[in-house]
């Protein structure tokens, strides 16, 4: 449960950029969320909504793009997506970090990020 | 009149922590210190394993510094202090995990030239620490059989990103109806490349094997 502190970083970064550009408000915030981090999308959107009250982000719509993991094999050099294992009883899908090609160990290239991609701002003229 | 502008960021919010973690790691490396973080469930035996690791290091003529993270209190601090290590207590108050910034400040209170190994005990939690590397060279995750046999598949990522896994309190498995094989099968499927150690830290079973492996640079 660290959505609140992450949401706080997002709101302050976007609000600071809006102030720097002289924008009066932010209407949309676009985030990229990797599948290997532990942030819960719903809680993150909820926390951003609460924290952005009385800031330029108040009422902004938060759009989240879910990003799949990308891995690189230490043995055969495979680079690409990870296989997933479905656990019906837990309603969840677990990315497996073994190489889908040769079973070797891999490094994570992408999938742990929580990125502010862009934001739409309104400039009064 | 107003106009709408699109502002690109491409800024990773979690990256700020990773950058500090990299600095911490480089700083510890420059002092020739091996650093190990212990993550894991509350009550899994992290503190006991650290107490024994401090003793193990002392037996081999090596000095340990320990940073202990807890939401509140100094229970773990006092336990580890009694083993002669230099210990810094970090109370996170509201946060459920340590971050690299807290560890950076805590490590300033330790004379890094006077220790050989820095051990960091994270707050008991199998979720949040995965998103916040602290800059240590190795990350260990500790669970115990008393939490049930489904801990690995319930929290897959923390096991996948660890450098070593400890499944502790194996002596209690028969009393809590846990089949160790279920945990081992999950580990083989979910984190097949991470070395796993089945221990009974209280009575010392397999603990030396784990400690030698984790201290092997």
């Amino acid at each position: 449960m660290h959505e609140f502190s992450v949401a706080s970083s997002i709101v302050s970064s976007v609000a600071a950029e809006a102030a720097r550009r002289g924008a009066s408000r932010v209407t949309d915030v676009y985030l990229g969320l990797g599948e290997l981090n532990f942030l819960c999308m719903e809680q993150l959107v909820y926390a951003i909504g609460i924290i952005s009250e009385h800031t330029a982000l108040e009422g902004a719509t938060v759009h989240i793009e879910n990003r799949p993991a990308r891995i690189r094999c230490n043995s055969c050099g495979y680079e690409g997506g990870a296989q997933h294992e479905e656990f019906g009883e837990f309603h969840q899908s677990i990315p497996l970090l073994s190489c889908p090609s040769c079973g070797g160990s891999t490094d994570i290239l992408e999938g742990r990020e929580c990125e502010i991609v862009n934001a739409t701002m309104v400039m009064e003229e | 009149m107003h106009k709408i502008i699109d502002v690109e960021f491409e800024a990773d919010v979690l990256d700020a922590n990773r950058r500090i973690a990299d600095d911490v790691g480089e700083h510890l490396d420059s002092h020739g210190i091996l650093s190990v973080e212990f993550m894991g469930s509350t009550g899994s035996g992290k503190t006991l394993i650290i107490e024994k690791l401090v003793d193990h290091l002392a037996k081999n003529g090596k000095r340990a510094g320990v940073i202990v993270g807890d939401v509140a209190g100094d229970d773990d601090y006092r336990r580890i202090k009694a083993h002669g290590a230099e210990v810094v207590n970090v109370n996170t108050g509201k946060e459920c995990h340590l971050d690299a910034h807290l560890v950076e400040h805590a490590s300033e209170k330790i004379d890094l030239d006077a220790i050989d190994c820095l051990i960091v005990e994270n707050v008991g939690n199998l979720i949040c620490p995965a998103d916040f590397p602290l800059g240590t060279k190795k990350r260990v995750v500790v669970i115990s059989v008393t939490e049930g046999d489904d801990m690995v598949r319930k929290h897959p990522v923390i096991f996948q990103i660890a450098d070593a896994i400890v499944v502790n309190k194996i002596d209690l498995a028969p009393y809590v109806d846990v089949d160790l094989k279920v945990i081992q099968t999950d580990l083989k499927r979910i984190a097949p490349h991470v070395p796993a150690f089945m221990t009974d830290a209280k009575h010392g079973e397999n603990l030396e094997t784990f400690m030698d492996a984790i201290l092997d640079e």
Side-chain angles (χ1 to χ4, degrees), chain A residues 1 85 95 112 123 125, chain B residues 1 3 5 128 130 160 189:
Chain A
M1 178 58 200
E85 182 171 316
R112 303 192 66 184
M123 310 280 289
E125 288 182 321
Chain B
M1 278 295 287
K3 69 170 179 178
I5 58 165
C128 308
Q160 292 173 325
R189 207 173 57 241

Side-chain angles (χ1 to χ4, degrees), chain B residues 11 50 65 69 82 109 121-122 126 135 170 185 187:
Chain B
I50 292 171
K109 295 178 188 161
E121 180 176 358
N122 213 322
L126 285 173
I170 54 167
T185 305
L187 283 173

Side-chain angles (χ1 to χ4, degrees), chain B residues 61-126:
Chain B
K62 293 190 169 168
R63 297 153 302 174
V66 185
I67 296 171
V68 185
D70 262 314
V71 172
D74 62 355
D75 298 77
D76 294 353
Y77 166 85
R78 281 186 281 111
R79 278 173 61 182
I80 297 166
K81 188 91 182 156
H83 290 260
E86 195 173 341
V87 192
V88 177
N89 194 36
V90 179
N91 280 151
T92 56
K94 289 172 189 159
E95 286 286 352
C96 48
H97 57 91
L98 290 175
D99 61 34
H101 184 248
L102 287 169
V103 169
E104 188 179 40
H105 281 298
S107 67
E108 285 166 4
K109 295 178 188 161
I110 294 176
D111 179 1
L112 297 179
D113 291 322
I115 61 168
D116 303 290
C117 181
L118 181 72
I119 302 164
V120 182
E121 180 176 358
N122 213 322
V123 179
N125 182 334
L126 285 173

Side-chain angles (χ1 to χ4, degrees), chain B residues 14-178:
Chain B
L14 298 172
D15 214 33
N17 179 75
R18 287 189 206 114
R19 279 198 302 269
I20 301 172
D22 289 345
D23 290 346
V24 171
E26 277 173 29
H27 188 56
L28 295 174
D29 275 353
S30 73
H31 287 267
I33 291 169
L34 171 66
S35 50
V36 184
E37 175 194 356
F38 284 83
M39 312 175 279
S41 334
T42 304
S44 59
K46 296 185 296 299
T47 309
L48 181 63
I49 291 171
I50 292 171
E51 288 176 270
K52 301 225 172 185
L53 187 56
V54 168
D55 290 346
H56 182 80
L57 284 161
K59 215 165 62 183
N60 291 295
K62 293 190 169 168
R63 297 153 302 174
V66 185
I67 296 171
V68 185
D70 262 314
V71 172
D74 62 355
D75 298 77
D76 294 353
Y77 166 85
R78 281 186 281 111
R79 278 173 61 182
I80 297 166
K81 188 91 182 156
H83 290 260
E86 195 173 341
V87 192
V88 177
N89 194 36
V90 179
N91 280 151
T92 56
K94 289 172 189 159
E95 286 286 352
C96 48
H97 57 91
L98 290 175
D99 61 34
H101 184 248
L102 287 169
V103 169
E104 188 179 40
H105 281 298
S107 67
E108 285 166 4
K109 295 178 188 161
I110 294 176
D111 179 1
L112 297 179
D113 291 322
I115 61 168
D116 303 290
C117 181
L118 181 72
I119 302 164
V120 182
E121 180 176 358
N122 213 322
V123 179
N125 182 334
L126 285 173
I127 304 168
C128 308
D131 279 346
F132 293 86
L134 305 177
T136 57
K137 194 155 197 155
K138 297 184 181 182
R139 306 188 82 185
V140 179
V141 59
V142 183
I143 56 169
S144 65
V145 298
T146 54
E147 296 143 37
D149 60 16
D150 49 9
M151 297 307 278
V152 176
R153 58 179 185 269
K154 279 183 176 174
H155 307 89
V157 176
I158 202 158
F159 296 93
Q160 292 173 325
I161 57 132
D163 297 300
I165 296 161
V166 175
V167 179
N168 194 27
K169 305 189 189 178
I170 54 167
D171 55 317
L172 298 180
Y175 305 103
V176 289
D177 286 334
V178 162

Side-chain angles (χ1 to χ4, degrees), chain A residues 70-99:
Chain A
R70 269 176 54 77
I71 55 177
R72 180 171 49 218
C73 179
N74 294 316
S75 308
C76 75
Y78 165 88
E79 226 179 274
Q83 283 182 315
H84 288 69
E85 182 171 316
E86 303 293 333
F87 278 95
E89 70 268 39
F90 290 112
H91 305 286
Q92 71 174 170
S93 158
I94 299 176
L96 299 173
L97 297 186
S98 297
C99 174

Side-chain angles (χ1 to χ4, degrees), chain A residues 17-103:
Chain A
E17 188 61 24
R20 199 180 71 79
R21 290 169 180 264
S24 58
R25 62 198 171 89
V26 177
T27 58
D28 297 85
V29 178
Y30 295 84
L31 305 175
L33 214 57
E35 68 170 324
L36 293 176
N37 67 44
F38 269 115
L39 292 164
C40 170
M41 201 170 79
E42 281 180 41
Q43 287 180 338
L44 189 62
V45 172
Y46 175 72
I48 291 172
I50 299 288
I51 295 167
S52 61
E53 281 176 19
H54 309 299
T55 74
L57 281 78
E58 185 161 353
T61 307
V62 180
H63 308 263
I64 295 186
E65 174 202 356
N66 286 302
R67 296 183 177 170
R70 269 176 54 77
I71 55 177
R72 180 171 49 218
C73 179
N74 294 316
S75 308
C76 75
Y78 165 88
E79 226 179 274
Q83 283 182 315
H84 288 69
E85 182 171 316
E86 303 293 333
F87 278 95
E89 70 268 39
F90 290 112
H91 305 286
Q92 71 174 170
S93 158
I94 299 176
L96 299 173
L97 297 186
S98 297
C99 174
S101 178
C102 77

